[in-house]
Amino acid sequence: MMSLNRSCFLGNQAIAGSSSPFSHSQKRRSASLKVVALVPKVRTSDRNGSVVMESTLQEVKDESSVVELKSTVHGGVQDVYGEDTATEDQLVTPWSVSVASGYTLIRDPHHNKGLAFTEKERDAHYLRGLLPPVVISQELQVKKMINCIRQYLVPLQKYIAMMDLQGRNEKLFYKLLIDHVEELLPVVYTPTVGEACQKYGSIFTHPHGLFISLKDKGKILEVLRNWPEKNIQVIVVTDGERILGLGDLGCHGMGIPVGKLALYTALGGVRPSACLPVTIDVGTNNQKLLDDEFYIGLRQKRATGQEYAELLQEFMTAVKQNYGEKILVQFEDFANHNAFDLLSKYGTTHLVFNDDIQGTASVVLAGLVAALKLVGGSLADHRFLFLGAGEAGTGIAELIALEVSKQTNIPVEETRKNIWLVDSKGLIVSSRKESLQHFKKPWAHEHEPVKELVDAVNAIKPTVLIGTSGAGRTFTKDVVESMASLNERPIILALSNPTSQSECTAEEAYTWTQGRAIYCSGSPFPPVEYEGKVYTPGQANNAYIFPGFGLGLIMSGTIRVHDDMLLAASEALASQVSQEDYDKGLIYPPFTNIRKISAHIAAKVAAKSYELGLATRLPEPKDLEKYAESCMYSPSYRSFR
Ligand SMILES: NC(=O)C1=CN([C@@H]2O[C@H](COP(=O)(O)OP(=O)(O)OC[C@H]3O[C@@H](n4cnc5c(N)ncnc54)[C@H](OP(=O)(O)O)[C@@H]3O)[C@@H](O)[C@H]2O)C=CC1
Ligand SMILES: CC(=O)C(=O)O
Ligand SMILES: [Mg+2]
C-alpha cells in the first residue's frame, strides 16, 4: 500500500517520514527510512505535500545528532521539533510525505479502519499499541455507530457525529449511510443540513470541501491544485446565496455541496475521492452572519456584476484546465438572479447542470408521471399551479411543458398554457410581463391579476398544486380545502426545504383533504394517522435524481447535458414505483432501494447520451445497467498488504 499521506496539516508539528514524534519504531527507521530532522531556521513553505526541502532537512547519522539539533531550538526533553518552546513567530514548515502507516494511517480517513484493522495489518503497519487489542468487523462498527447516533436526541448532534465520522473513517461513514439510508438521509441532508449551515461557524471543527474566495482571484487554479485528490469527476459548487429556503448563508453554505456529494457517493456510487465540494465566497448580504463572531467567510457584502462574473469565469476555466473537458459541475443553491445566467452561459462550454432548476424538474416530473396511475388521465389532461416562480418552479414547469409537447406534438408555447405560477406578487399574468424576470416571462398568460393563492386556486382550478416558494405554511387551510373541493385526489407537493419552509405539513394535507391528498414534501415527514388510517407521505427531492444522473454522465463520458437526459431520468425513476408503493398512495419508491434505482437512472441517462452522440466512452457497454452497478463505489474495507 504505497500512497502519499494526505494529512499534512498538523499545526506546528512537522512529521518527517518515520521521524514522526508519534508513530514509528526504531526497527522501521533503520529498515526503510533515513532519520531526518528539521532545522529551526526553515523558511521555505511547502504546497501539496510534495516536498522540496533541501535547505530544511538534514540527514543525520544517529539519534544523538538529533538530540544535538534539538538543543538548538531549546526544547524540553526529547522535544526534537522545538514544540515546547514554539512561538507563533517561529517559522516551521508543515510537511509530510510517507506511506501511511502507524499513527498517520489511523489519522487518514481514506484508509482508516479503526478497530477493524486485522492482527496482520496491525503488525505490518506499525499499529501495535495505537489501538486497543480487540479486532471487530465493519458490521459491528456500523451497529455501534448507529446505536451511538440514536443516542443523540438533537438532530444537529447527529449531524456533527456523522461529519466527524466522515473525517475519521470514510468507508465506515458510507457503509453506515448506505445501510441506514432512510434514517440518516435527514441527518446529512435536508432538513438537518439546513440547521448545520445556519450554525456552520459554531460547529466548525475542520474543513470539508474547498473554499474559494475573492481573495483567491487570479489564483484559483493554484487553489484547486491544493486539493489532495487529482482525479475529480464531479464538483458541486455553491455561492451560498440561496441555501434551501433559508436565504443567504454565505460561506456557511458549504454544508450543501458536502451533503450533496455524500449522496453522490452513498446513493449514486461515485467514489468519494472523485468528488469535490466547493464554496465560492463572494461575501454575504446576511447582516446577522457579518455580525457573527464565528462566521467563517469573508466579512463583506456580496460582490456582484463584473467582479462576480470574473471570479466565476476564472473558476469555470480553472476546473476544465485542471480536470479536463468531462468534469461535471453541478450548480447548487445559487440565487436565481445568477443561477439561470450561469447555466445558460456554461451550458454550451462545460458539462454543467443546475440541480435546483433541472434536477428538481426531473424528480417532480417523475412523481407526476407516477401519480397518473392513481389519478388517471395523461399529463396533458392536468392543470398545474405553482406557488413560487423561481428556479425550482419555472424549471419544473418547463420540463412538464416539454414532456407534454413531446407526448402530444403540440408546440411547447401552447403546452405552457396549462401551467400557471404565482410569485410573491400574485399570479403571473400578461399585464405584468414587462416587469418580470426573464425566466418568468414564458408563464405570463392572459388572465386578470390575482393576488392571493387561494383565489388563484379557485380561478385556475388546478389538479396539481406545487410549492416552490421557500415560504413555510403558505398552503393554508383554505388553499388545501379548495384543492380538495376541486379534485377527488388533489396532488399537493410542498417542495420547499427544510421542514420549517414546507408549504404545508403532511398532517395538514391529509387532514384538510380528509385523507384524499396525494402528498409529498421536499423534506421528510413521518407517517400520519387520520381517522384510524395511516398515511405515508412521500419525499419529492432531487436526491432521487442527481446521484444517478451524475453517474450516468460520468460513466458514459458525456460532454454536455441535454434536456432529453432529464426526461430519460424522469421516466427511469417513475418506472421504479411499485404496485406496493401505489397501494400506499406513494408516487416515489422508498430510498432503501436507491442504489439500484440510481443504477437504473444512470443507465437510461447514459443510453440517451449515446443516442444523442454526446457520450465519449466507446464502445458503448452492452448492458448499461450492469455497467453502472459495476462502476459503483463499495464502502467495504480493503485488506492492506
Ligand atoms: N424538494 C426539492 O428537491 C427542492 C426544493 N427546493 C426548494 O424550493 C424553494 C425555492 O427554491 P428556488 O426556486 O430555487 O428559489 P427562488 O428564490 O428561485 O424562487 C422562490 C420563488 O418563490 C416566490 N416566493 C417567495 N416567497 C413567497 C410567498 N410568500 N408567496 C408567494 N411566492 C413566494 C418568489 O417570488 P418572487 O420571484 O416574487 O421573489 C420566487 O418566485 C426552496 O425552499 C428550496 O429549498 C429547491 C430545489 C429542489
Ligand atoms: C433539495 C434542494 O436542492 C434544495 O432544497 O435546494
Ligand atoms: Mg438545492
Side-chain angles (χ1 to χ4, degrees):
M1 194 221 33
M2 293 291 293
S3 73
L4 280 187
N5 173 20
R6 297 158 206 250
S7 53
C8 55
F9 301 106
L10 289 164
N12 270 347
Q13 295 153 355
I15 298 183
S18 66
S19 57
S20 151
F22 306 105
S23 51
H24 311 289
S25 67
Q26 181 65 37
K27 177 184 85 182
R28 178 161 175 262
R29 266 189 209 137
S30 50
S32 59
L33 285 159
K34 290 171 176 168
V35 177
V36 289
L38 201 60
V39 178
K41 57 179 183 272
V42 165
R43 281 184 204 268
T44 23
S45 65
D46 179 32
R47 216 172 53 85
N48 255 356
S50 37
V51 186
V52 185
M53 304 213 23
E54 305 89 61
S55 63
T56 64
L57 292 175
Q58 290 184 355
E59 197 178 311
V60 290
K61 299 281 177 260
D62 56 35
E63 297 282 298
S64 60
S65 340
V66 175
V67 175
E68 231 175 79
L69 277 167
K70 176 212 76 179
S71 66
T72 65
V73 295
H74 309 294
V77 178
Q78 297 295 306
D79 181 22
V80 176
Y81 302 110
E83 286 156 51
D84 291 358
T85 52
T87 60
E88 284 199 13
D89 54 6
Q90 182 184 343
L91 299 180
V92 294
T93 301
W95 77 281
S96 165
V97 54
S98 67
V99 175
S101 72
Y103 196 73
T104 47
L105 179 55
I106 57 176
R107 284 285 163 134
D108 177 349
H110 304 279
H111 296 117
N112 183 26
K113 305 186 194 181
L115 296 180
F117 279 112
T118 62
E119 300 286 359
K120 212 171 131 227
E121 287 167 337
R122 291 174 191 214
D123 278 334
H125 295 278
Y126 307 94
L127 298 171
R128 288 281 166 209
L130 301 182
L131 296 163
V134 74
V135 177
I136 64 174
S137 66
Q138 194 182 19
E139 284 64 35
L140 192 61
Q141 287 181 308
V142 167
K143 185 176 173 190
K144 194 194 88 175
M145 272 313 296
I146 195 70
N147 284 345
C148 171
I149 294 215
R150 284 174 186 157
Q151 302 294 314
Y152 293 119
L153 300 177
V154 179
L156 192 59
Q157 289 175 324
K158 294 179 195 257
Y159 177 87
I160 293 169
M162 287 299 285
M163 288 302 104
D164 177 58
L165 180 60
Q166 190 180 24
R168 203 156 35 79
N169 182 337
E170 192 176 81
K171 289 214 166 68
L172 185 56
F173 169 81
Y174 283 112
K175 179 134 181 67
L176 182 68
L177 185 52
I178 291 166
D179 289 358
H180 298 274
V181 66
E182 298 258 10
E183 182 174 349
L184 294 178
L185 212 51
V187 176
V188 299
Y189 192 54
T190 186
T192 311
V193 73
E195 189 187 356
C197 288
Q198 288 175 308
K199 299 175 180 165
Y200 214 68
S202 305
I203 64 172
F204 182 88
T205 50
H206 58 282
H208 291 258
L210 194 68
F211 295 87
I212 296 175
S213 83
L214 285 171
K215 285 189 195 172
D216 305 313
K217 193 166 185 326
K219 292 181 287 196
I220 294 183
L221 191 58
E222 285 175 50
V223 175
L224 289 178
R225 288 180 178 160
N226 285 343
W227 187 252
E229 302 293 345
K230 304 298 160 211
N231 297 320
I232 301 298
Q233 295 172 333
V234 54
I235 292 174
V236 176
V237 58
T238 189
D239 72 355
E241 193 167 4
R242 193 240 77 196
I243 294 299
L244 308 177
L246 301 170
D248 182 353
L249 297 185
C251 197
H252 288 183
M254 180 56 106
I256 296 296
V258 168
K260 291 271 175 182
L261 283 165
L263 270 50
Y264 256 101
T265 299
L267 278 52
V270 178
R271 324 187 268 294
S273 60
C275 297
L276 174 59
V278 175
T279 291
I280 298 193
D281 184 351
V282 295
T284 177
N285 295 336
N286 183 334
Q287 195 56 46
K288 229 176 113 193
L289 287 180
L290 291 173
D291 294 340
D292 177 357
E293 61 177 330
F294 297 134
Y295 182 54
I296 63 169
L298 285 185
R299 230 166 265 273
Q300 65 166 77
K301 293 277 184 205
R302 277 186 179 275
T304 57
Q306 196 180 341
E307 196 182 5
Y308 179 88
E310 280 177 7
L311 196 73
L312 267 290
Q313 174 68 22
E314 187 188 337
F315 170 70
M316 293 304 289
T317 307
V319 296
K320 221 158 109 168
Q321 206 174 332
N322 210 31
Y323 305 118
E325 181 75 24
K326 285 175 263 179
I327 177 75
L328 170 61
V329 179
Q330 173 170 324
F331 292 118
E332 194 70 52
D333 290 12
F334 283 75
N336 62 37
H337 54 90
N338 289 318
F340 288 98
D341 294 348
L342 288 171
L343 184 59
S344 70
K345 180 169 179 188
Y346 295 107
T348 52
T349 56
H350 289 65
L351 179 68
V352 292
F353 92 104
N354 182 301
D355 189 34
D356 301 299
I357 301 171
Q358 298 170 295
T360 314
S362 188
V363 164
V364 172
L365 179 60
L368 295 173
V369 168
L372 296 176
K373 285 242 166 78
L374 298 173
V375 294
S378 68
L379 274 183
D381 300 325
H382 284 268
R383 235 157 139 65
F384 305 88
L385 180 66
F386 288 78
L387 182 72
E391 295 166 63
T394 62
I396 300 163
E398 191 60 31
L399 203 66
I400 296 172
L402 184 64
E403 176 64 15
V404 174
S405 170
K406 281 187 185 269
Q407 285 180 6
T408 58
N409 276 328
I410 297 169
V412 76
E413 292 73 21
E414 280 303 305
T415 60
R416 287 193 187 118
K417 291 185 177 158
N418 239 358
I419 304 174
W420 297 78
L421 292 96
V422 171
D423 65 9
S424 65
K425 297 190 179 65
L427 191 63
I428 295 182
V429 291
S430 49
S431 57
R432 293 179 54 196
K433 197 158 183 170
E434 285 310 299
S435 63
L436 291 173
Q437 288 159 286
H438 65 89
F439 50 86
K440 293 180 184 170
K441 286 187 198 283
W443 310 100
H445 308 319
E446 286 301 326
H447 199 283
E448 65 198 30
V450 179
K451 184 86 194 77
E452 300 301 328
L453 177 62
V454 64
D455 298 329
V457 170
N458 290 325
I460 304 300
K461 303 194 183 348
T463 54
V464 181
L465 179 65
I466 303 180
T468 51
S469 62
R473 305 299 177 272
T474 36
F475 289 174
T476 51
K477 188 161 188 267
D478 51 355
V479 167
V480 175
E481 284 179 350
S482 290
M483 284 299 290
S485 71
L486 292 165
N487 302 286
E488 179 49 36
R489 302 231 42 199
I491 299 174
I492 298 176
L493 309 182
L495 298 184
S496 291
N497 295 314
T499 315
S500 58
Q501 310 311 108
S502 187
E503 281 80 6
C504 68
T505 65
E507 186 172 9
E508 288 166 345
Y510 293 123
T511 308
W512 295 337
T513 61
Q514 301 82 45
R516 288 184 285 124
I518 295 169
Y519 171 85
C520 294
S521 52
S523 302
F525 279 102
V528 171
E529 195 179 324
Y530 172 73
E531 298 201 336
K533 197 171 160 201
V534 174
Y535 295 86
T536 311
Q539 187 179 355
N541 194 294
N542 50 32
Y544 273 111
I545 289 283
F546 72 78
F549 190 78
L551 178 65
L553 299 176
I554 292 167
M555 74 185 210
S556 57
T558 292
I559 50 160
R560 296 288 177 269
V561 170
H562 190 285
D563 281 347
D564 285 357
M565 298 172 192
L566 298 169
L567 295 177
S570 267
E571 204 182 305
L573 176 57
S575 75
Q576 299 299 294
V577 187
S578 67
Q579 191 54 50
E580 194 190 336
D581 300 326
Y582 287 125
D583 293 344
K584 289 186 199 154
L586 289 172
I587 53 175
Y588 292 100
F591 271 110
T592 31
N593 301 330
I594 189 66
R595 277 167 82 90
K596 196 124 193 59
I597 294 166
S598 292
H600 185 65
I601 293 172
K604 295 294 179 187
V605 168
K608 185 54 75 178
S609 179
Y610 281 107
E611 189 188 316
L612 294 168
L614 291 167
T616 61
R617 190 201 176 279
L618 298 170
E620 178 180 344
K622 281 211 170 57
D623 185 334
L624 281 167
E625 196 154 332
K626 277 218 164 63
Y627 180 61
E629 280 168 10
S630 76
C631 291
M632 289 173 101
Y633 166 84
S634 152
S636 306
Y637 289 141
R638 312 296 193 267
S639 296
F640 298 149
R641 71 168 64 84

